Amino acid sequence: MRLFRRPGFITISILLIIYLIIGIMGQYGYASAVLGNAMDTMMYIGWALALAIIMSYAGYVSFGHAVFVGLGAWMTALVVMNIMGTQPFTPTMFVFSLVLAAAASALLAFAVGFVVLRLRGAYFAIATIGLDYVILYLAVYMLRRAGIAPPLLFRNLNLTIQDFYWMHFIVFAITVIVAYLAKVSRFGLGLAAIREDEEAAEVMGVDTFRYKLLAFTLSALLAGMWGAPLAFRQAKFDPYDYFSLLNSVIMIVENTVGGLGSFLGPIIGSYIYYALYWTLLTKIAQASFVVLGPLIVAIIALAPEGLVGWLRRRFPRLRGALE
C-alpha cells in the first residue's frame, strides 16, 4: 500500500486523470488543437521516460533510441499493408501492431546491447549513433528493393482524431507505469548503483551487465511501442523522419533539462522542451531550432543537475516529493 502513497504514483495518477478527461471532453470546442497538443505532450513524455530507464536510471547515454521508435512504426506499416490487407481498422489491428513493435524493438536492443553495453561512457554513445544510420539506410534500401520510394504511405483507415488520441493514451499509460515501477523496484536500485559507481556496484554483487542489458531492452521496448500510434496518426512510414538523430537528441535533452536520476525529471523536461519549441515555432518558424539550441544549452549550464536536481538542492524539504 505504501506504493500508492509515494509522490511518483500520485504524479502518475494526476497525469492519467488529466489526459483521460481531455480525451473524454475533447470532442467539444477546440477539439483538434487540444487533442493534438495533448498527444504531442504524451509522446514527448513517453519518449523521455523510455530513454530514462537506460540514461537517467543507469547513466548510459544512448543516441540511438530514435531507431526503436522508427522500428515500431515500420512494424506497424507491415501490419497495415500486408498482414491486415484490405480489412477495415479494428482495435485488434492496433494491439497486434503494438505487440509486434515492442517485440521487434526489444529483440534488436537485446542483440545490439549484448555487444555495445560492454562499452562505457563516450564509446557507448558513439556506438549508438552508428545504430541510427545503419538502420536508416537498411530501411531505405529495403523499401527501394520493394519498388517503394520513401515515404511509405498507408491506405485510409477512416480513423478520427479521438481514435489517435486513445492510441496515444494507452501507450502513455503503459510507459509511465512501467518506467515508474522500474525506478522504485529492486531493479531500479541496481541501476542507480551502476549510475553512481559501476565498479563499486560490481563489488557489491550487482550483475551490472545483466542489469544494463535488461534496462536497454526494456527502454527500447517502450520506445518501440510509440512507433505504433505515431505511424497510425501520420499514415506513413518515412525512415528519414523516424530514424532521425534529432529525435534521439530530443529525448536526451528532455532527460538532461528535467534532471537525471529521477522519475519526475524527464516529465518536467518534456514539458519545458515542448513549451519552448512551440513558443518559438509560432514566433520564428524555421529559425526556431537556431534559438532553441542556445536556450537549452543555457538552461543546462545554469542548472547542470537539471531542474529537479536544482530544486532538491535549493529546497531540501522537497527532496521527498521530487522522486
Side-chain angles (χ1 to χ4, degrees):
M1 293 298 293
R2 287 188 300 176
L3 176 65
F4 300 118
R5 295 195 296 268
R6 295 187 64 149
F9 186 83
I10 295 173
T11 299
I12 292 174
S13 301
I14 293 172
L15 285 173
L16 292 180
I17 290 172
I18 290 173
Y19 284 111
L20 184 64
I21 292 173
I22 291 174
I24 294 172
M25 303 296 293
Q27 59 185 323
Y28 304 105
Y30 299 98
S32 297
V34 173
L35 293 181
N37 287 324
M39 282 190 285
D40 287 341
T41 53
M42 284 192 287
M43 179 193 72
Y44 281 121
I45 292 172
W47 283 9
L49 286 175
L51 179 63
I53 295 176
I54 186 65
M55 177 183 171
S56 185
Y57 299 174
Y60 274 68
V61 181
S62 170
F63 280 88
H65 258 57
V67 165
F68 305 117
V69 178
L71 185 60
W74 195 355
M75 294 302 103
T76 301
L78 294 178
V79 170
V80 174
M81 299 193 67
N82 299 317
I83 299 177
M84 295 302 179
T86 59
Q87 299 177 31
F89 175 82
T90 63
T92 303
M93 182 186 294
F94 173 66
V95 173
F96 189 69
S97 300
L98 207 58
V99 172
L100 187 59
S105 299
L107 286 173
L108 177 62
F110 185 86
V112 172
F114 194 80
V115 178
V116 301
L117 283 170
R118 301 180 189 278
L119 304 172
R120 296 186 183 181
Y123 299 104
F124 172 79
I126 292 170
T128 56
I129 292 176
L131 180 63
D132 269 305
Y133 292 101
V134 169
I135 303 300
L136 167 61
Y137 291 119
L138 177 63
V140 172
Y141 171 77
M142 292 182 69
L143 287 177
R144 288 179 176 168
R145 280 294 298 261
I148 302 170
L152 172 62
L153 303 178
F154 301 169
R155 61 187 172 88
N156 184 7
L157 296 172
N158 296 317
L159 296 173
T160 67
I161 190 171
Q162 281 199 304
D163 293 327
F164 299 136
Y165 185 87
W166 292 120
M167 290 180 184
H168 281 68
F169 181 81
I170 289 170
V171 180
F172 176 73
I174 294 171
T175 304
V176 294
I177 292 172
V178 171
Y180 181 67
L181 292 178
K183 175 72 171 63
V184 300
S185 64
R186 182 182 179 87
F187 170 62
L189 293 176
L191 295 181
I194 292 171
R195 183 185 69 245
E196 296 302 324
D197 191 327
E198 190 165 342
E199 286 77 12
E202 289 178 348
V203 172
M204 294 299 293
V206 177
D207 188 343
T208 57
F209 181 75
R210 184 170 65 88
Y211 270 63
K212 291 187 297 183
L213 185 58
L214 180 57
F216 191 58
T217 303
L218 179 59
S219 178
L221 184 151
L222 294 177
M225 291 177 68
W226 277 101
L230 292 178
F232 277 112
R233 183 181 176 186
Q234 296 182 7
K236 68 177 182 179
F237 168 64
D238 188 345
Y240 294 105
D241 283 344
Y242 284 108
F243 296 127
S244 171
L245 182 62
L246 176 61
N247 292 335
S248 297
V249 172
I250 290 171
M251 301 180 203
I252 293 171
V253 167
E254 290 171 336
N255 276 272
T256 306
V257 170
L260 300 176
S262 67
F263 170 73
L264 189 60
I267 297 175
I268 293 176
S270 301
Y271 281 120
I272 292 174
Y273 173 82
Y274 186 75
L276 287 174
Y277 172 66
W278 279 108
T279 299
L280 293 172
L281 188 66
T282 56
K283 300 293 184 183
I284 52 179
Q286 296 300 321
S288 58
F289 280 110
V290 176
V291 179
L292 181 62
L295 273 177
I296 295 296
V297 171
I299 293 173
I300 295 174
L302 292 173
E305 69 274 68
L307 182 59
V308 169
W310 180 83
L311 289 173
R312 283 174 169 175
R313 177 170 52 82
R314 184 70 177 79
F315 305 101
R317 292 184 179 181
L318 296 177
R319 292 185 64 87
L322 299 172
E323 192 171 24

